[in-house]
Coordinates of all heavy atoms in Angstrom, one line a residue:
V104 N -10.8 -1.6 -3.9 CA -11.4 -1.4 -5.3 C -10.7 -2.5 -6.1 O -9.5 -2.6 -6.0 CB -11.1 -0.1 -5.9 CG1 -11.7 0.0 -7.3 CG2 -11.5 1.1 -5.0
S105 N -11.4 -3.2 -6.9 CA -10.8 -4.3 -7.6 C -11.5 -4.7 -8.9 O -12.8 -4.7 -8.9 CB -10.8 -5.6 -6.6 OG -10.4 -6.7 -7.3
T106 N -10.8 -4.9 -9.9 CA -11.3 -5.3 -11.2 C -10.7 -6.7 -11.6 O -9.5 -6.9 -11.4 CB -11.0 -4.3 -12.3 OG1 -11.6 -3.0 -11.9 CG2 -11.5 -4.7 -13.7
A107 N -11.6 -7.6 -12.2 CA -11.0 -8.9 -12.6 C -9.9 -8.6 -13.6 O -10.0 -7.8 -14.5 CB -12.2 -9.7 -13.2
P108 N -8.8 -9.4 -13.5 CA -7.6 -9.1 -14.3 C -8.0 -9.1 -15.8 O -7.5 -8.3 -16.6 CB -6.7 -10.3 -14.0 CG -7.1 -10.8 -12.6 CD -8.6 -10.5 -12.5
E109 N -8.9 -10.0 -16.3 CA -9.2 -10.1 -17.7 C -10.1 -8.9 -18.1 O -10.3 -8.7 -19.3 CB -9.9 -11.4 -18.0 CG -11.3 -11.7 -17.4 CD -11.3 -12.1 -15.9 OE1 -10.2 -12.1 -15.3 OE2 -12.3 -12.5 -15.4
A110 N -10.6 -8.2 -17.2 CA -11.5 -7.0 -17.5 C -10.8 -5.7 -17.2 O -11.5 -4.6 -17.3 CB -12.8 -7.1 -16.7
G111 N -9.5 -5.7 -16.9 CA -8.8 -4.5 -16.6 C -8.6 -3.5 -17.8 O -8.7 -3.9 -18.9
G112 N -8.4 -2.2 -17.5 CA -8.2 -1.3 -18.5 C -9.4 -0.9 -19.4 O -9.2 -0.3 -20.4
R113 N -10.6 -1.2 -18.9 CA -11.8 -0.9 -19.7 C -12.7 0.0 -19.0 O -13.9 0.1 -19.4 CB -12.5 -2.2 -20.0 CG -11.8 -3.0 -21.2 CD -12.1 -4.5 -21.1 NE -13.5 -4.9 -20.9 CZ -13.9 -6.1 -20.7 NH1 -13.0 -7.1 -20.7 NH2 -15.1 -6.4 -20.6
G114 N -12.2 0.7 -18.0 CA -13.0 1.8 -17.4 C -13.9 1.3 -16.3 O -14.7 2.0 -15.8
I115 N -13.8 0.0 -15.9 CA -14.7 -0.6 -14.8 C -14.5 0.1 -13.5 O -15.4 0.6 -12.8 CB -14.6 -2.1 -14.8 CG1 -15.2 -2.7 -16.1 CG2 -15.3 -2.6 -13.5 CD1 -15.1 -4.2 -16.2
A116 N -13.2 0.1 -13.0 CA -12.9 0.7 -11.7 C -13.3 2.2 -11.7 O -13.9 2.7 -10.8 CB -11.5 0.6 -11.4
K117 N -13.1 2.9 -12.9 CA -13.4 4.3 -13.0 C -14.9 4.6 -12.8 O -15.3 5.5 -12.1 CB -12.9 4.8 -14.3 CG -12.9 6.3 -14.5 CD -12.2 6.6 -15.8 CE -12.5 8.1 -16.2 NZ -12.0 8.3 -17.5
K118 N -15.7 3.7 -13.5 CA -17.1 3.9 -13.4 C -17.6 3.6 -12.0 O -18.4 4.3 -11.4 CB -17.8 2.9 -14.4 CG -19.3 2.9 -14.3 CD -19.9 4.2 -14.8 CE -21.4 4.2 -14.7 NZ -22.0 5.4 -15.0
M119 N -17.1 2.5 -11.3 CA -17.5 2.2 -9.9 C -17.2 3.4 -9.0 O -18.0 3.8 -8.2 CB -16.9 0.9 -9.5 CG -17.3 -0.3 -10.2 SD -16.7 -1.9 -9.5 CE -14.9 -1.7 -9.6
M120 N -15.9 3.9 -9.2 CA -15.5 5.0 -8.3 C -16.4 6.2 -8.6 O -16.7 7.0 -7.7 CB -14.1 5.3 -8.6 CG -13.1 4.2 -8.3 SD -12.3 4.3 -6.7 CE -11.9 6.0 -6.5
S121 N -16.7 6.5 -9.9 CA -17.5 7.7 -10.2 C -18.8 7.6 -9.5 O -19.4 8.7 -9.1 CB -17.7 7.8 -11.7 OG -16.4 7.8 -12.3
L122 N -19.4 6.4 -9.4 CA -20.7 6.3 -8.8 C -20.6 6.7 -7.3 O -21.5 7.4 -6.7 CB -21.3 4.9 -8.9 CG -21.6 4.5 -10.3 CD1 -21.9 3.0 -10.4 CD2 -22.9 5.3 -10.8
V123 N -19.5 6.3 -6.7 CA -19.3 6.6 -5.2 C -19.0 8.1 -5.1 O -19.5 8.8 -4.2 CB -18.1 5.8 -4.6 CG1 -17.9 6.3 -3.2 CG2 -18.4 4.3 -4.7
L124 N -18.2 8.7 -6.0 CA -17.9 10.1 -6.0 C -19.2 11.0 -6.2 O -19.3 12.0 -5.6 CB -16.8 10.5 -7.0 CG -15.4 9.9 -6.6 CD1 -14.4 10.2 -7.8 CD2 -14.9 10.5 -5.3
D125 N -20.1 10.5 -7.1 CA -21.3 11.2 -7.3 C -22.1 11.3 -6.0 O -22.7 12.3 -5.7 CB -22.2 10.5 -8.4 CG -21.7 10.6 -9.8 OD1 -20.8 11.5 -10.0 OD2 -22.1 9.9 -10.7
K126 N -22.1 10.1 -5.3 CA -22.8 10.1 -4.0 C -22.2 11.1 -3.0 O -22.9 11.9 -2.4 CB -22.8 8.7 -3.4 CG -23.5 8.6 -2.1 CD -23.6 7.2 -1.5 CE -22.3 6.7 -1.0 NZ -22.4 5.4 -0.3
A127 N -20.8 11.1 -3.0 CA -20.1 12.0 -2.1 C -20.5 13.5 -2.4 O -20.7 14.3 -1.5 CB -18.6 11.8 -2.1
R128 N -20.5 13.8 -3.7 CA -20.9 15.2 -4.1 C -22.3 15.5 -3.7 O -22.5 16.6 -3.2 CB -20.7 15.3 -5.7 CG -19.3 15.8 -6.0 CD -19.3 16.2 -7.5 NE -19.3 15.0 -8.3 CZ -18.3 14.2 -8.7 NH1 -17.1 14.6 -8.3 NH2 -18.5 13.2 -9.4
R129 N -23.2 14.6 -3.9 CA -24.6 14.8 -3.5 C -24.7 15.1 -2.0 O -25.5 15.9 -1.6 CB -25.5 13.6 -3.9 CG -26.0 13.5 -5.3 CD -27.1 12.6 -5.5 NE -26.9 11.2 -4.9 CZ -26.3 10.3 -5.6 NH1 -25.8 10.5 -6.8 NH2 -26.1 9.1 -5.1
L130 N -23.9 14.4 -1.2 CA -23.9 14.6 0.2 C -23.1 15.8 0.6 O -23.2 16.2 1.8 CB -23.3 13.3 0.9 CG -24.1 12.0 0.8 CD1 -23.2 10.8 1.2 CD2 -25.3 12.1 1.6
G131 N -22.3 16.4 -0.3 CA -21.5 17.5 0.0 C -20.3 17.2 0.9 O -19.9 18.0 1.7
K132 N -19.8 15.9 0.8 CA -18.7 15.4 1.6 C -17.5 15.1 0.8 O -17.7 14.6 -0.3 CB -19.2 14.2 2.4 CG -20.3 14.5 3.4 CD -20.7 13.2 4.1 CE -21.8 13.6 5.1 NZ -22.3 12.4 5.9
P133 N -16.3 15.3 1.3 CA -15.1 14.8 0.6 C -15.0 13.3 0.6 O -15.6 12.6 1.4 CB -13.9 15.4 1.3 CG -14.5 15.7 2.7 CD -16.0 15.9 2.6
A134 N -14.4 12.7 -0.4 CA -14.1 11.3 -0.5 C -12.6 11.1 -0.1 O -11.8 12.0 -0.4 CB -14.3 10.7 -1.9
R135 N -12.4 10.0 0.6 CA -11.0 9.8 1.2 C -10.6 8.3 0.9 O -11.5 7.4 0.9 CB -11.0 10.1 2.7 CG -11.2 11.5 3.0 CD -11.5 11.7 4.5 NE -10.4 11.2 5.3 CZ -9.5 12.0 5.9 NH1 -9.6 13.4 5.8 NH2 -8.5 11.6 6.7
L136 N -9.4 8.1 0.8 CA -8.9 6.7 0.6 C -7.4 6.6 1.0 O -6.7 7.7 1.1 CB -9.2 6.1 -0.7 CG -8.7 6.9 -2.0 CD1 -7.2 6.7 -2.2 CD2 -9.5 6.4 -3.2
V137 N -6.9 5.4 1.0 CA -5.4 5.2 1.2 C -5.0 4.4 0.0 O -5.6 3.3 -0.3 CB -5.1 4.5 2.6 CG1 -3.6 4.2 2.7 CG2 -5.6 5.4 3.7
S138 N -3.9 4.8 -0.7 CA -3.5 4.2 -2.0 C -2.1 3.8 -1.9 O -1.2 4.5 -1.3 CB -3.8 5.3 -3.0 OG -3.0 5.2 -4.1
S139 N -1.8 2.6 -2.5 CA -0.4 2.1 -2.5 C 0.4 3.0 -3.4 O 0.0 3.4 -4.5 CB -0.4 0.7 -3.0 OG 1.0 0.3 -3.2

Side-chain angles (χ1 to χ4, degrees):
V104 183
S105 171
T106 298
E109 66 281 8
R113 282 153 48 187
I115 289 179
K117 192 174 166 185
K118 176 69 183 172
M119 295 188 298
M120 299 264 317
S121 300
L122 293 170
V123 177
L124 290 174
D125 288 347
K126 178 174 77 172
R128 265 188 294 272
R129 277 197 307 278
L130 293 166
K132 296 179 179 182
R135 298 166 59 101
L136 52 78
V137 176
S138 150
S139 171

